[in-house]
Amino acid sequence: MGKPIKPSADRLIKSGLISRPSAPQKSPRHTDKLIFFPDWCKKCGLCTAVCPTGALKQNGHDNPVLPDQDKCRLCSLCWRICPDFAIVKNPEFEDKENDAQ
Ligand code: SF4
Ligand code: SF4
Protein backbone atom coordinates (compact mmCIF):
# COMPACT_ATOMS: atom_id res chain seq x y z
CA MET A 1 0.00 0.00 0.00
CA GLY A 2 1.27 3.47 -0.82
CA LYS A 3 1.47 6.40 1.50
CA PRO A 4 -1.90 7.78 2.57
CA ILE A 5 -2.80 10.96 0.74
CA LYS A 6 -3.30 13.90 3.04
CA PRO A 7 -6.11 16.21 2.05
CA SER A 8 -5.03 19.78 1.69
CA ALA A 9 -6.80 22.94 0.69
CA ASP A 10 -4.73 23.15 -2.51
CA ARG A 11 -5.55 19.59 -3.48
CA LEU A 12 -9.25 20.05 -2.78
CA ILE A 13 -9.33 23.25 -4.80
CA LYS A 14 -7.54 21.58 -7.71
CA SER A 15 -9.96 18.66 -7.56
CA GLY A 16 -12.87 21.01 -8.09
CA LEU A 17 -14.63 19.79 -4.94
CA ILE A 18 -14.33 23.26 -3.50
CA SER A 19 -13.78 26.60 -5.10
CA ARG A 20 -11.95 29.66 -4.02
CA PRO A 21 -11.64 32.74 -6.15
CA SER A 22 -8.08 33.70 -6.87
CA ALA A 23 -8.91 37.37 -6.50
CA PRO A 24 -8.12 38.75 -3.07
CA GLN A 25 -11.01 38.97 -0.66
CA LYS A 26 -12.31 42.50 -0.74
CA SER A 27 -14.62 42.85 2.18
CA PRO A 28 -14.32 40.46 5.09
CA ARG A 29 -16.95 41.08 7.73
CA HIS A 30 -15.45 41.19 11.18
CA THR A 31 -17.25 40.35 14.37
CA ASP A 32 -15.56 40.03 17.73
CA LYS A 33 -15.52 36.24 17.52
CA LEU A 34 -15.71 35.30 13.85
CA ILE A 35 -14.63 36.76 10.54
CA PHE A 36 -16.77 36.08 7.48
CA PHE A 37 -15.57 36.13 3.88
CA PRO A 38 -18.78 36.67 1.93
CA ASP A 39 -17.08 36.57 -1.49
CA TRP A 40 -16.05 32.96 -0.85
CA CYS A 41 -19.36 31.87 0.69
CA LYS A 42 -21.62 29.89 -1.59
CA LYS A 43 -24.50 30.12 0.89
CA CYS A 44 -24.85 26.38 1.23
CA GLY A 45 -26.17 26.59 4.79
CA LEU A 46 -23.87 23.95 6.26
CA CYS A 47 -22.51 26.28 8.92
CA THR A 48 -25.92 27.34 10.17
CA ALA A 49 -27.10 23.73 10.13
CA VAL A 50 -24.31 22.55 12.42
CA CYS A 51 -24.19 25.52 14.79
CA PRO A 52 -25.25 23.95 18.09
CA THR A 53 -26.43 27.17 19.70
CA GLY A 54 -28.31 28.79 16.83
CA ALA A 55 -25.90 31.70 16.94
CA LEU A 56 -25.43 31.67 13.18
CA LYS A 57 -28.41 32.83 11.16
CA GLN A 58 -29.08 32.75 7.47
CA ASN A 59 -32.03 34.38 5.80
CA GLY A 60 -32.98 32.41 2.73
CA HIS A 61 -29.97 32.36 0.47
CA ASP A 62 -28.10 35.19 2.18
CA ASN A 63 -24.67 34.92 3.75
CA PRO A 64 -24.66 33.64 7.32
CA VAL A 65 -24.52 36.27 10.04
CA LEU A 66 -23.86 36.26 13.76
CA PRO A 67 -26.47 38.59 15.22
CA ASP A 68 -25.93 37.57 18.83
CA GLN A 69 -22.27 36.95 19.55
CA ASP A 70 -22.98 35.94 23.14
CA LYS A 71 -24.60 32.78 21.77
CA CYS A 72 -21.42 31.72 19.98
CA ARG A 73 -19.30 29.33 22.04
CA LEU A 74 -16.47 29.25 19.52
CA CYS A 75 -17.07 25.52 19.20
CA SER A 76 -15.34 25.64 15.77
CA LEU A 77 -17.95 23.56 13.94
CA CYS A 78 -18.88 26.31 11.49
CA TRP A 79 -15.38 27.11 10.31
CA ARG A 80 -14.38 23.45 10.24
CA ILE A 81 -17.32 22.41 8.09
CA CYS A 82 -17.27 25.34 5.68
CA PRO A 83 -16.07 23.92 2.34
CA ASP A 84 -14.94 27.33 1.15
CA PHE A 85 -13.01 28.65 4.14
CA ALA A 86 -15.49 31.50 4.33
CA ILE A 87 -15.51 31.63 8.15
CA VAL A 88 -12.54 31.86 10.49
CA LYS A 89 -12.19 32.53 14.17
CA ASN A 90 -11.18 36.09 14.86
CA PRO A 91 -7.62 35.68 16.17
CA GLU A 92 -7.92 38.86 18.17
CA PHE A 93 -10.71 37.49 20.32
CA GLU A 94 -8.45 35.19 22.28
CA ASP A 95 -6.08 38.07 22.91
CA LYS A 96 -8.92 40.04 24.44
CA GLU A 97 -9.84 37.07 26.62
CA ASN A 98 -6.26 36.64 27.73
CA ASP A 99 -5.92 40.33 28.47
CA ALA A 100 -8.93 40.11 30.74
CA GLN A 101 -7.44 37.26 32.77
S1 SF4 B 1 -20.67 26.70 5.20
FE1 SF4 B 1 -19.32 28.28 4.31
S2 SF4 B 1 -20.02 28.43 2.19
FE2 SF4 B 1 -21.65 27.38 3.32
S3 SF4 B 1 -23.05 29.05 3.99
FE3 SF4 B 1 -21.58 28.70 5.65
S4 SF4 B 1 -19.94 30.23 5.27
FE4 SF4 B 1 -21.10 30.00 3.38
S1 SF4 C 1 -18.24 28.66 16.53
FE1 SF4 C 1 -19.83 27.16 17.04
S2 SF4 C 1 -21.31 28.28 18.31
FE2 SF4 C 1 -20.05 29.80 17.24
S3 SF4 C 1 -21.22 30.30 15.41
FE3 SF4 C 1 -19.74 28.68 14.87
S4 SF4 C 1 -20.89 26.76 15.10
FE4 SF4 C 1 -22.02 28.36 16.20
Side-chain angles (χ1 to χ4, degrees), residues 41-47 58 64 82-84 86-87:
C41 171
K42 63 184 170 210
K43 304 164 180 130
C44 64
L46 282 174
C47 54
Q58 198 170 10
C82 176
D84 295 283
I87 304 177

Side-chain angles (χ1 to χ4, degrees), residues 17-20 37 40-44 81-87:
L17 288 172
I18 60 171
S19 59
R20 188 169 200 171
F37 296 89
W40 292 334
C41 171
K42 63 184 170 210
K43 304 164 180 130
C44 64
I81 203 166
C82 176
D84 295 283
F85 311 104
I87 304 177

Side-chain angles (χ1 to χ4, degrees), residues 47-62:
C47 54
T48 46
V50 298
C51 178
T53 65
L56 275 184
K57 304 280 183 203
Q58 198 170 10
N59 280 333
H61 295 292
D62 288 341

